[in-house]
Amino acid sequence: MSKDDCIKLTGVVVDVLPSTTFRVQITEDHTVLAYMSGKMRKAKIKIILGDSVELELSPYDLTRA
């Protein structure tokens, strides 16, 4: 397994937390804790409640994206 192996999914933001972290619902019963990439922080892109987002999950920890 290489470093670039990741699982790409889409989800909906259900909770906005401090420090540019979010709770994202992938399916009806599965939510993950996600954080924004550095380039998006630098460009000051805003993510609000209800936005559809693309996630990259590590195969080792499926609770963080």
Side-chain angles (χ1 to χ4, degrees):
M1 207 170 231
S2 72
K3 182 180 177 183
D4 296 328
D5 288 342
C6 62
I7 302 166
K8 295 185 180 187
L9 299 170
T10 57
V12 178
V13 176
V14 293
D15 194 15
V16 179
L17 303 169
S19 182
T20 64
T21 56
F22 309 94
R23 265 205 215 285
V24 179
Q25 186 170 12
I26 297 172
T27 61
E28 291 288 327
D29 58 341
H30 192 70
T31 60
V32 295
L33 185 65
Y35 61 91
M36 198 174 353
S37 70
K39 285 187 177 183
M40 290 181 70
R41 285 185 198 176
K42 195 171 184 181
K44 297 185 179 173
I45 295 177
K46 301 290 183 188
I47 296 177
I48 59 173
L49 194 68
D51 280 350
S52 178
V53 292
E54 291 184 8
L55 306 169
E56 290 184 359
L57 288 155
S58 169
Y60 299 111
D61 186 10
L62 298 176
T63 61
R64 296 188 57 109

